[in-house]
Amino acid sequence: MNTRWIARLLWLALLASGGVCAKDTGSGLPGLKLDPARTAVVGLSSGAYMAGQVQMAYPELFPNAALVAGGPYGCADGKLDVALGNCMKGTPAPDVAALVAHAAKRSAAGEIGALKDLAHAHVYLLHGKDDALVAPAVAEAGAQFYRQLRDATPALKGMQVHDDGARAFAHNLPVAARGDDCDKSVAPYLGHCGFDAAGEIFAQMFGKPARSADKAQGELRTFDQDALRPGGADAFLADTGYVYLPPACLAGKPCGLVVAFHGCKQNAAAVGKTFVADAGFNRWADVYDVAVLYPQTRASFAPLNPQACWDWWGYSGADYDSRHGVQLRWVVNAVRALGLPAGH
């Protein structure tokens, strides 16, 4: 018997034992039994802006969001100079009331999702007092955006907004281990601060953990991002993305889903597997039975995106932060390929 047939028999045996589904999307992503009630988007810096865009455009899929060192939805308004000024330096500060009003108008027009789908949202905003790249005032504006949106929309009284901005760290994602880079913003932008941000994010999104998190025991796999292009359109992503599958998900049990967006200069081409393997999400994914999708951007000069940021100012098109945005539609294709039910 040749090795191909042996591999096929082993795969069939896995399916028969209740393992991952055999859904073939052409991307290499497995079809999982995803629980639509346990989903979240998280991100750092440009990834935080991207997470906010995904949440606002598709709240029926991702009502929960954790934004680390990011600002309010719609801040850049498609203008790079506004992104670099108002939305990073905070000079002048973002006009939160105007952004809330604009989001409500866009929702009513169907450009983004229905605000009512945020009725039970959990939003966690984490930012360091020592962040010199995205000013604390900008991140505070992000928290104000959600609070004002909640207060202005009767259906959102149950939205939970947690603003965590009193911790001392620079522009990075804090990790549990201690080191000498917590007050710096240097590659790979994981600050050894003695604070497990990933653990706090999971607790904010899904409640207190049932146990402590040990070394990740699941599988970190690659998949073909190009196979998920919406209508064949270039989403300005790398060829390869990553997905982490906890043991429970591999065994075919119902699982939640987190989509984790890296920051600028934090994609795999720049820092290798550091973010996807060492940010701390995978350990906690095992505890909560949650798969973690790690999409990857690519650097380019046409359009101008040399630091491989997520599009939060319009390099992918004028509709970048709406339901028509190519990167947002790619995310929807990816989570559908993973098994998020079509009715949600």
Side-chain angles (χ1 to χ4, degrees):
M1 185 179 293
N2 62 34
T3 55
R4 178 179 297 179
W5 277 104
I6 293 174
R8 182 169 180 79
L9 287 174
L10 289 173
W11 176 245
L12 291 173
L14 175 64
L15 295 177
S17 65
V20 294
C21 302
K23 184 178 180 180
D24 182 8
T25 64
S27 65
L29 284 173
L32 305 175
K33 295 179 181 177
L34 293 181
D35 178 0
R38 294 197 303 131
T39 63
V41 282
V42 308
L44 169 66
S45 193
S46 76
Y49 275 110
M50 181 64 176
Q53 291 173 176
V54 172
Q55 181 195 38
M56 293 299 295
Y58 295 99
E60 72 275 22
L61 299 180
F62 290 103
N64 306 309
L67 315 184
V68 184
Y73 170 74
C75 185
D77 193 29
K79 304 177 181 68
L80 180 57
D81 60 328
V82 175
L84 296 174
N86 304 55
C87 310
M88 290 183 67
K89 298 177 181 178
T91 52
D95 185 340
V96 175
L99 293 174
V100 169
H102 189 51
K105 183 178 180 180
R106 298 189 76 183
S107 176
E111 296 176 16
I112 60 176
L115 296 182
K116 66 178 179 60
D117 289 325
L118 295 171
H120 304 291
H122 292 78
V123 184
Y124 176 52
L125 303 109
L126 173 65
H127 48 104
K129 295 190 298 181
D130 303 326
D131 194 329
L133 190 62
V134 175
V138 173
E140 284 295 327
Q144 292 169 19
F145 172 85
Y146 283 104
R147 287 194 292 259
Q148 289 189 26
L149 184 69
R150 177 190 61 196
D151 295 344
T153 311
L156 301 187
K157 300 303 181 184
M159 176 192 284
Q160 298 183 32
V161 182
H162 183 190
D163 181 14
D164 188 349
R167 303 178 190 272
F169 63 93
H171 190 75
N172 56 52
L173 179 72
V175 296
R178 293 189 178 273
D180 60 0
D181 58 0
C182 186
D183 60 348
K184 301 179 179 66
S185 181
V186 294
Y189 309 101
L190 300 179
H192 295 78
C193 304
F195 169 56
D196 189 355
E200 183 64 24
I201 287 169
F202 269 81
Q204 290 288 335
M205 298 295 98
F206 306 120
K208 292 182 179 180
R211 56 183 173 84
S212 60
D214 301 316
K215 183 179 179 180
Q217 300 295 320
E219 295 183 12
L220 182 65
R221 298 181 181 179
T222 60
F223 68 95
D224 179 5
Q225 296 197 143
D226 283 340
L228 299 165
R229 290 186 175 196
D234 189 356
F236 307 101
L237 303 183
D239 295 337
T240 301
Y242 295 85
V243 61
Y244 177 76
L245 304 171
C249 302
L250 289 167
K253 297 179 181 179
C255 285
L257 175 64
V258 163
V259 182
F261 299 104
H262 60 73
C264 301
K265 298 187 292 185
Q266 202 182 31
N267 57 323
V271 302
K273 293 183 181 179
T274 305
F275 179 74
V276 303
D278 299 333
F281 296 117
N282 300 343
R283 295 184 300 113
W284 288 106
D286 285 0
V287 174
Y288 286 87
D289 296 342
V290 170
V292 185
L293 185 73
Y294 294 101
Q296 300 292 306
T297 58
R298 72 172 190 263
S300 65
F301 287 95
L304 187 62
N305 182 31
Q307 297 183 355
C309 302
W310 289 97
D311 187 9
W312 61 282
W313 69 85
Y315 70 74
S316 68
D319 53 5
Y320 67 98
D321 61 350
S322 77
R323 293 173 78 95
H324 306 294
V326 67
Q327 289 187 348
L328 275 65
R329 288 186 291 129
W330 182 94
V331 171
V332 172
N333 284 353
V335 299
R336 294 293 192 223
L338 275 170
L340 199 62
H344 296 269

